[in-house]
C-alpha cells in the first residue's frame, strides 16, 4: 500500500520574482518542481538533509516530513524570513547563505538537494565542490538543471535569470571531478511528470513512450525523448540508483490546456525578458538624458562665466575710462580754479592798488586843496560842464589831438547844416541808394 502524504502550504504568499517557484505558481511548472522534491523525499527518510537554494521553503518542509533534520539555505533574506514564519518543525531550520560558501561544516549532511540552481551560477565548479564538502562519505547529491539543447534551442528567447546553462555532456563533465559515480535521469513535464533513468540496466528493456504529435499523428520512442531537464544522483561510492518514477496530475486539464500553459510560461519568460530590456533601456535613456542635461548645464555655465568675464572686463574698462576722463576733468577744473584764483588774486591786487591810489589821492594836498572847488562845481552844473570842457581842451592840447578834434567838429556841423537846408534831396538820395542796393546782384 502506498504512502499518503500532504503538501504543506503557507498561509500567506511570497511575491513572484519571475523565476523562483512560490505559492502563487500553479500548473505545469509547479508539477515539475514538486516531482523532483517527491523523489528527494523518498531518498531523505531518516537522514540529515541540506536543501540548497530552498526559496520560500515548501520543498524543505516536504523533506522534513521524513528526514531526521533539514536545513534550508537561500541567498535571499526575504525568502528565508518568509520560510521561517511559514514552515515550522522541530527538525527544520532555515539559514541565509550562498551556495558557493555553504554555511555548514564539513561532512555534516547525508543528502543535498539542489534543484534548478546550477544554471543560476557562473562559479559552478565552486558550488559543486561545496556540495561535496558538506556531504558525509556515501552521501547523495540530487541535482537538476535544464538541458540547454531542449530548453534553449537556437532562435529561442533566453531566460534572463540563467547565467550558464549546460547540455548533457557538460552536466556530466561538471559532476564527474567531484563525484566518481554519477547516474543520469531525464525529466519531461506532461500532464504530470516522468523521471526515468538515462541508461537502464542492460537486462531491462527501455520504456516505450507514445506521444501524440498532432490530431491524428502519434510517435513511439524508446526512453523519454525531448526531456526538458536533467537529474543526477551522485556519491563518492557506488550507490543504488533511485527508482524511475511518475508524477500524475489527476485533474480535468486536457493536453491542449497543458500545451497552452507551456506556451504561457514561454510568453511569461519572454515578457519578463522584454520588461527587463525595457527597464534597462529606460535606465540607459535616463542616464543619457542626465548626461546630456549635465553637458548642457556645463555649457551654459561656461557661457555664463564667459559672458560674466566679458561683462566684468567691459565694466572694468568703462570704469577705467571714466576714471581717466574724471581725472582729466578734475585736472582741468583744478587748472581753471587755479587760473581763476590767480585772476582773482590779480584783480584783488589791482583793486587794492587802485584803492591805495584813491586813498593816496584823497590824502594828497591837492585833493584836499581842491575840495572847495569840487563842492562849488557840484552846486553849479553849468560851471561843471565848462570845467569838463576845459579839462578836455587841456588834455587834447597836451596830447596833440586838438587840431583833429576841431576838424571833426566842423565836419559834423556842416553835415547838420546841409541836412537842415535840403531835407527832400536827402530823402531822394536815400531812396536812390536803397534802389541801387536792391538791383545789386547777390
Amino acid at each position: 500500500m502506498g504512502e499518503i502524504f500532504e503538501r504543506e502550504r503557507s498561509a500567506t504568499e511570497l511575491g513572484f520574482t519571475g523565476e523562483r517557484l512560490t505559492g502563487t505558481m500553479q500548473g505545469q511548472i509547479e508539477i515539475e518542481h514538486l516531482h523532483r522534491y517527491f523523489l528527494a523525499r523518498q531518498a531523505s527518510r531518516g537522514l540529515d538533509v541540506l536543501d540548497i537554494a530552498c526559496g520560500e521553503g515548501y520543498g524543505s518542509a516536504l523533506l522534513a516530513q521524513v528526514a531526521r533534520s533539514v536545513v534550508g539555505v537561500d541567498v535571499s533574506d526575504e525568502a528565508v524570513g518568509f520560510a521561517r514564519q511559514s514552515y515550522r518543525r522541530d527538525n527544520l531550520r532555515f539559514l541565509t547563505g550562498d551556495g558557493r560558501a555553504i554555511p555548514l561544516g564539513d561532512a555534516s549532511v547525508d543528502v543535498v538537494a539542489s534543484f534548478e540552481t546550477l544554471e543560476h551560477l557562473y562559479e559552478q565548479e565552486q558550488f559543486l565542490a561545496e556540495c561535496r564538502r558538506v556531504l558525509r562519505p556515501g552521501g547523495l547529491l540530487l541535482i537538476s538543471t535544464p538541458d540547454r539543447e531542449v530548453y534553449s534551442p537556437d532562435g529561442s528567447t533566453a531566460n534572463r535569470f540563467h547565467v550558464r546553462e549546460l547540455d548533457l555532456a557538460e552536466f556530466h563533465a561538471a559532476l564527474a571531478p567531484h563525484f566518481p559515480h554519477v547516474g543520469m535521469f531525464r525529466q519531461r513535464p506532461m500532464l504530470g511528470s516522468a523521471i526515468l533513468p538515462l541508461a537502464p540496466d542492460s537486462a531491462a528493456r527501455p520504456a516505450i513512450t507514445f506521444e501524440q504529435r498532432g490530431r491524428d499523428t502519434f510517435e513511439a520512442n524508446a526512453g523519454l525523448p525531448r526531456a526538458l531537464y536533467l537529474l543526477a544522483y551522485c556519491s563518492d561510492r557506488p550507490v543504488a540508483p533511485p527508482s524511475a518514477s511518475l508524477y500524475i496530475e489527476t485533474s480535468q486539464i486536457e493536453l491542449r490546456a497543458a500545451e497552452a500553459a507551456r506556451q504561457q510560461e514561454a510568453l511569461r519568460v519572454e515578457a519578463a525578458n522584454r520588461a527587463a530590456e525595457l527597464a534597462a533601456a529606460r535606465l540607459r535613456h535616463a542616464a543619457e538624458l542626465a548626461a546630456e542635461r549635465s553637458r548642457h548645464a556645463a555649457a551654459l555655465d561656461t557661457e555664463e562665466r564667459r559672458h560674466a568675464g566679458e561683462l566684468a572686463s567691459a565694466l572694468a574698462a568703462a570704469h577705467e575710462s571714466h576714471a581717466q576722463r574724471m581725472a582729466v576733468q578734475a585736472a582741468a577744473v583744478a587748472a581753471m580754479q587755479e587760473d581763476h584764483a590767480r585772476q582773482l588774486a590779480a584783480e584783488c591786487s589791482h583793486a587794492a592798488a587802485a584803492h591805495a591810489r584813491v586813498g593816496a589821492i584823497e590824502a594828497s594836498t591837492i585833493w584836499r586843496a581842491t575840495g572847495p572847488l569840487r563842492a562849488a562845481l557840484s552846486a553849479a552844473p553849468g560851471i561843471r560842464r565848462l570845467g569838463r570842457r576845459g579839462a578836455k581842451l587841456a588834455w587834447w592840447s597836451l596830447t596833440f589831438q586838438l587840431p583833429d578834434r576841431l576838424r571833426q567838429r566842423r565836419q559834423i556841423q556842416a553835415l547838420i547844416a546841409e541836412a537842415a537846408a535840403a531835407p527832400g534831396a536827402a530823402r531822394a538820395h536815400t531812396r536812390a541808394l536803397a534802389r541801387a542796393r536792391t538791383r545789386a546782384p547777390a
Side-chain angles (χ1 to χ4, degrees), residues 393 395-411:
L393 183 60
W395 175 255
W396 288 342
S397 297
L398 290 173
T399 59
F400 303 103
Q401 298 183 43
L402 184 60
D404 293 334
R405 293 286 183 175
L406 291 176
R407 188 170 49 257
Q408 291 176 1
R409 181 176 179 81
R410 284 194 297 270
Q411 290 175 355

Side-chain angles (χ1 to χ4, degrees), residues 39-314:
L39 184 64
R41 184 178 182 273
Q42 292 299 112
S44 300
R45 194 173 300 272
L47 302 176
D48 297 318
V49 181
L50 166 63
D51 183 13
I52 189 69
C54 64
E56 72 164 27
Y58 71 95
S60 302
L62 280 171
L63 301 178
Q65 291 176 354
V66 297
R68 180 169 54 208
S69 69
V70 175
V71 179
V73 175
D74 199 276
V75 73
S76 169
D77 289 328
E78 180 187 14
V80 170
F82 181 89
R84 288 171 178 168
Q85 293 294 324
S86 303
Y87 304 103
R88 299 184 179 183
R89 283 179 174 268
D90 293 338
N91 64 338
L92 176 61
R93 61 192 177 104
F94 295 95
L95 300 176
T96 301
D98 193 318
R100 293 161 294 190
I102 299 173
L104 295 180
D106 295 352
S108 55
V109 295
D110 302 299
V111 177
V112 174
S114 171
F115 300 136
E116 307 308 289
T117 306
L118 194 63
E119 64 275 10
H120 295 270
L121 299 173
Y122 184 80
E123 303 85 351
Q124 294 176 351
E125 294 78 7
Q126 183 179 350
F127 171 73
L128 293 172
E130 279 291 283
C131 292
R132 174 62 188 271
R133 179 184 65 82
V134 300
L135 276 172
R136 293 169 181 151
L140 178 67
L141 168 63
L142 286 172
I143 182 170
S144 69
T145 191
D147 186 344
R148 186 183 66 241
E149 292 184 351
V150 181
Y151 186 89
S152 300
D154 291 342
S156 64
T157 301
N159 187 328
R160 68 184 181 93
F161 296 99
H162 291 183
V163 176
R164 190 178 173 191
E165 294 178 346
L166 306 176
D167 60 18
L168 174 60
E170 292 167 338
F171 187 37
H172 189 279
L175 295 170
H178 305 281
F179 299 95
H181 302 276
V182 177
M184 288 286 184
F185 285 91
R186 293 187 184 274
Q187 180 185 12
R188 179 183 175 184
M190 301 174 293
L191 286 179
S193 178
I195 298 179
L196 302 180
L198 185 62
D201 268 345
S202 57
R205 301 182 63 182
I208 301 296
T209 58
F210 299 91
E211 179 180 0
Q212 185 176 5
R213 302 299 305 275
R215 182 178 180 183
D216 298 317
T217 304
F218 299 86
E219 179 181 358
N221 284 286
L224 191 62
R226 293 179 292 280
L228 191 61
Y229 300 97
L230 302 171
L231 182 65
Y233 60 98
C234 314
S235 179
D236 62 339
R237 298 178 184 178
V239 293
S243 300
S245 64
L246 292 175
Y247 172 91
I248 300 174
E249 171 70 10
T250 303
S251 67
Q252 301 300 318
I253 302 175
E254 297 180 354
L255 182 60
R256 291 180 182 178
E259 181 62 22
R262 186 67 193 171
Q263 294 176 359
Q264 182 179 6
E265 173 64 11
L267 290 174
R268 179 193 63 77
V269 171
E270 183 177 1
N273 292 340
R274 290 184 178 179
E277 293 173 359
L278 180 60
R282 288 176 176 172
L283 288 176
R284 287 195 304 272
H285 179 69
E288 292 172 357
L289 183 60
E292 181 63 25
R293 287 177 176 172
S294 178
R295 287 193 298 271
H296 184 63
L300 287 178
D301 187 53
T302 302
E303 188 68 14
E304 288 177 357
R305 286 199 300 269
R306 186 179 65 80
H307 286 319
E310 293 176 353
L311 180 60
S313 299

Side-chain angles (χ1 to χ4, degrees), residues 349-387:
S349 178
H350 294 161
H355 184 70
R357 288 196 298 271
V358 170
I361 291 172
E362 290 178 346
S364 65
T365 303
I366 295 174
W367 181 264
R368 289 195 300 272
T370 59
L373 178 59
R374 290 196 305 278
L377 291 174
S378 297
I383 297 174
R384 190 169 61 247
R385 283 195 298 273
L386 289 175

